[in-house]
């Protein structure tokens, strides 16, 4: 397998073992566990691996256990994967067809009597599933979000074990073990079911790119892919390793993004695009972390606050200019090395964009012009003096004189 064909180079060994496990004819009699932290990209890895297996004519049933509270819900989810038409809402109108067909196909206990219903004198509807839907060596079961299942963990593992032990079905279980409260019973069930455990190595840039691949705006997608190292740096600085939250923020940015907002006289301004993308991600993800007090860039106030300007030293005055008026705001600004004015838009507009989901292009264009584009058109004296190294003595003297007059 060449590197070009690998899903994730750091997790090459996992992919190679899964190929060995799923492609062979051996009856392993154990499941494989893939463990990884939330937001590490392990679910994305699994779904990419499923695509590869389907391309090999494997039949894959991918089941998310998130929020499931009854084994019957897992039965139904498996049936939907095996036969999406019969598993649809329309098919449910036929009542016992779904349940009966699943009994006939999987021979599992649907009545809660701890006996496989296939061995009981139950009435099974006369449904003959096509050969390509029947379970054989080409069938793979994948259970994701084990730690988020609302069933007792031991019950879930016992349920999964039926497929491995009684039906010789090859099973991959995906979880975040750090979120599972271990007990003696859990460890016994796990030891019985799991034969091999892998820890997924975070492949951050690949995970970020996978989010961009879901965007509809191709032009924006290309711009974001070109700035992945820059985005990864921001993501790490924020310290909120939640890929689902990141995906939501990127989708929100796609909705916010209008190309001509970032153009000046027909030219796309890459600098301001990257700045606004940076601030958008910081504010959006910090907001999801619960950093702000109801509104974007609104911080927790100190219990004791002194507003007498004459009692403040120079450092305190500089903090005020940076938008720092509390310990909470100081911690935030220092974390990113920013001042309030660096965020381009006012807190009110940011709050509309991120909290209220209002994208008022007129407001956005006006504030962007005042904070950025106007300086390109009407460079003030102080702005010109910032490039003093490139000025002649005469130009420098003239600007100094003009600055004094303006003051």
């Amino acid at each position: 397998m060449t590197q070009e064909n690998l899903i994730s180079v750091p997790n090459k060994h996992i992919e190679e073992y899964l190929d060995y496990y799923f492609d062979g004819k051996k009856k392993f009699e154990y499941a494989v566990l893939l463990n990884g932290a939330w937001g590490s990209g392990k679910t994305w890895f699994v779904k990419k691996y499923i695509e590869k297996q389907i391309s090999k004519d494997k039949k894959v049933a991918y089941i998310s256990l998130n929020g499931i509270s009854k084994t019957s819900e897992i039965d139904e989810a498996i049936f939907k994967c095996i036969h999406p038409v019969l598993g649809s809402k329309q098919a449910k109108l036929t009542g016992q067809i779904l349940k009966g067909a699943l009994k006939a196909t999987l021979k599992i206990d649907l009545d809660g009597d701890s006996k496989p219903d296939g061995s009981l004198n139950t009435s099974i509807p006369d449904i003959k599933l096509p050969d390509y839907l029947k379970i054989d060596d080409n069938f793979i079961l994948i259970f994701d979000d084990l730690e988020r299942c609302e069933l007792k963990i031991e019950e879930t593992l016992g349920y999964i074990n039926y497929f491995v032990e009684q039906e010789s079905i090859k099973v991959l279980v995906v979880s975040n073990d750090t979120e599972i409260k271990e007990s003696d019973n859990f460890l016994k069930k796990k030891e019985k079911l799991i034969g091999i455990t892998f820890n997924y190595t975070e492949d951050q840039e690949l995970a970020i790119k996978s989010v961009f691949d879901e965007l509809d705006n191709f032009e924006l997608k290309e711009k974001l892919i070109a700035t992945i190292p820059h985005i990864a740096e921001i993501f790490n600085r924020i310290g909120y390793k939640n890929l689902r939250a990141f995906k939501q923020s990127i989708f929100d940015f796609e909705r916010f993004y209008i190309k001509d907002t970032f153009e000046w006289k027909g030219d796309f301004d890459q600098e301001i695009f990257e700045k606004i993308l940076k601030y958008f991600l910081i504010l959006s993800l910090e907001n999801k972390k619960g950093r702000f007090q109801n509104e974007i860039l609104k911080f927790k106030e100190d219990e004791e606050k002194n507003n007498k300007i004459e009692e403040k030293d120079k450092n305190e005055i500089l903090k005020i200019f940076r938008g720092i008026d509390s310990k909470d705001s100081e911690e935030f600004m220092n974390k990113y090395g920013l001042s309030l004015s660096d965020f381009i838009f006012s807190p009110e507009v940011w709050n509309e964009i991120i909290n209220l989901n209002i994208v008022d292009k007129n407001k956005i264009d006006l504030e962007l012009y005042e904070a950025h584009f106007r300086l390109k058109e009407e460079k003030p004296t102080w702005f010109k003096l910032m490039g003093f190294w490139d000025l002649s003595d005469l130009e420098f003297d003239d600007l100094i004189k003009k600055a004094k007059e303006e003051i």
Side-chain angles (χ1 to χ4, degrees):
M1 189 184 298
T2 62
Q3 286 201 357
E4 290 77 14
N5 294 327
L6 290 170
I7 298 171
S8 167
V9 174
N11 297 287
K12 172 186 175 184
H13 61 295
I14 300 175
E15 187 174 348
E16 289 176 340
Y17 187 86
L18 291 178
D19 285 346
Y20 162 73
Y21 176 73
F22 289 125
D23 289 348
K25 299 296 181 182
K26 293 185 179 68
K27 303 296 183 185
F28 287 97
E29 296 184 357
Y30 62 77
V32 175
L33 175 67
L34 178 59
N35 184 49
W38 291 342
S40 64
K42 67 181 184 299
T43 295
W44 172 83
F45 172 87
V46 168
K47 289 186 175 179
K48 285 293 181 184
Y49 187 77
I50 288 172
E51 290 176 11
K52 280 192 167 186
Q53 293 303 304
I54 290 174
S55 72
K56 297 177 184 178
D57 295 325
K58 295 278 188 181
K59 297 189 289 288
V60 183
Y62 171 85
I63 313 299
S64 173
L65 298 171
N66 187 10
I68 283 181
S69 58
K70 300 176 183 177
T71 56
S72 60
E73 293 174 2
I74 310 178
D75 300 338
E76 185 174 335
I78 294 172
F79 185 79
K80 283 181 180 178
C81 290
I82 297 172
H83 201 316
V85 176
L86 285 180
S88 67
K89 290 180 180 179
Q90 292 85 347
K92 287 183 181 180
L93 295 174
T94 61
Q96 294 299 313
I97 289 180
L98 186 152
K99 183 177 178 181
L102 186 55
K103 288 181 193 176
T105 309
L106 296 180
K107 298 182 295 183
I108 59 180
D109 175 25
L110 300 179
D111 298 325
D113 57 5
S114 301
K115 297 178 182 179
D117 284 340
S119 64
L120 300 176
N121 293 323
T122 54
S123 175
I124 299 176
D126 185 18
I127 296 176
K128 293 182 179 179
L129 297 178
D131 288 341
Y132 73 89
L133 291 176
K134 293 181 179 177
I135 293 174
D136 54 25
D137 288 338
N138 281 326
F139 186 74
I140 295 169
L141 263 176
I142 297 177
F143 294 96
D144 198 357
D145 299 312
L146 176 65
E147 74 284 355
R148 292 178 171 177
C149 187
E150 294 181 9
L151 284 165
K152 287 184 179 179
I153 198 77
E154 296 86 353
E155 184 179 355
T156 307
L157 293 179
Y159 176 94
I160 295 172
N161 187 60
Y162 171 84
F163 297 104
V164 175
E165 195 172 84
Q166 302 298 321
E167 298 294 333
S168 299
I169 296 172
K170 292 172 183 177
V171 174
L172 173 64
V173 181
V174 186
S175 77
N176 177 7
D177 270 6
T178 60
E179 299 297 320
I180 295 175
K181 187 177 181 181
E182 295 186 349
S183 64
D184 290 341
N185 196 16
F186 163 73
L187 293 173
K188 286 177 183 177
K189 291 279 187 181
K190 181 180 176 183
E191 184 180 351
K192 181 180 180 182
L193 173 64
I194 305 299
I196 297 290
T197 299
F198 290 104
N199 290 312
Y200 184 79
T201 301
E202 182 180 7
D203 195 343
Q204 191 178 73
E205 291 198 4
L206 201 59
I208 289 173
K209 184 179 181 299
S210 74
V211 173
F212 298 161
D213 287 340
E214 296 186 44
L215 296 177
D216 297 322
N217 188 323
F218 180 79
E219 182 260 339
L220 174 61
K221 183 191 302 184
E222 292 296 300
K223 289 185 182 300
L224 292 175
I225 289 173
T227 59
I228 282 180
H230 173 65
I231 292 169
E233 183 183 350
I234 297 167
F235 191 50
N236 291 329
R237 177 72 67 88
I238 294 168
Y240 188 43
K241 299 292 185 70
N242 186 316
L243 204 60
R244 289 182 179 89
F246 175 76
K247 178 190 285 191
Q248 186 180 342
S249 294
I250 290 295
F251 288 174
D252 288 344
F253 185 79
E254 181 182 33
R255 178 175 173 270
F256 160 81
Y257 176 80
I258 300 171
K259 185 180 179 183
D260 65 23
T261 296
F262 301 91
E263 291 181 340
W264 180 248
K265 296 185 177 179
D267 294 325
F268 188 84
D269 192 322
Q270 185 67 22
E271 177 192 0
I272 197 62
F273 169 77
E274 291 184 10
K275 280 185 176 180
I276 290 179
L277 172 62
K278 173 182 176 179
Y279 304 144
F280 191 103
L281 290 177
I282 288 173
L283 297 177
S284 178
L285 290 172
E286 287 282 4
N287 190 49
K288 294 181 192 306
K289 284 171 65 178
R291 158 71 77 170
F292 303 117
Q293 297 291 299
N294 301 321
E295 296 179 16
I296 303 300
L297 290 170
K298 184 177 180 182
F299 300 95
K300 197 183 301 178
E301 294 183 357
D302 294 339
E303 292 182 8
E304 294 182 9
K305 193 171 180 181
N306 185 359
N307 291 316
K308 293 182 179 179
I309 193 72
E310 63 270 14
E311 294 182 11
K312 297 183 182 294
D313 59 23
K314 290 180 180 179
N315 288 333
E316 289 296 311
I317 294 171
L318 287 173
K319 286 180 182 180
I320 292 170
F321 278 116
R322 288 183 62 200
I324 295 172
D325 58 2
S326 68
K327 290 179 181 178
D328 191 31
S329 60
E330 183 174 13
E331 180 185 326
F332 177 82
M333 295 300 179
N334 288 344
K335 178 179 179 179
Y336 298 105
L338 294 170
S339 299
L340 190 61
S341 60
D342 292 324
F343 284 93
I344 308 295
F345 303 132
S346 64
E348 291 75 21
V349 168
W350 275 121
N351 191 59
E352 285 186 359
I353 294 168
I354 292 173
N355 252 351
L356 306 179
N357 297 301
I358 297 171
V359 180
D360 188 328
K361 191 173 186 306
N362 290 331
K363 278 187 184 179
I364 290 167
D365 287 349
L366 179 61
E367 292 202 2
L368 186 54
Y369 174 80
E370 290 296 328
H372 181 73
F373 290 127
R374 186 176 66 83
L375 298 180
K376 291 191 170 190
E377 186 177 53
E378 306 169 5
K379 292 181 180 177
T381 305
W382 64 264
F383 190 84
K384 294 176 183 177
L385 277 169
M386 285 177 66
F388 64 91
W389 285 114
D390 298 321
L391 298 173
S392 67
D393 289 345
L394 182 59
E395 288 172 326
F396 180 75
D397 290 340
D398 286 345
L399 285 173
I400 288 292
K401 181 180 178 182
K402 187 176 180 182
K404 288 179 179 178
E405 290 171 355
E406 290 173 356
I407 291 171

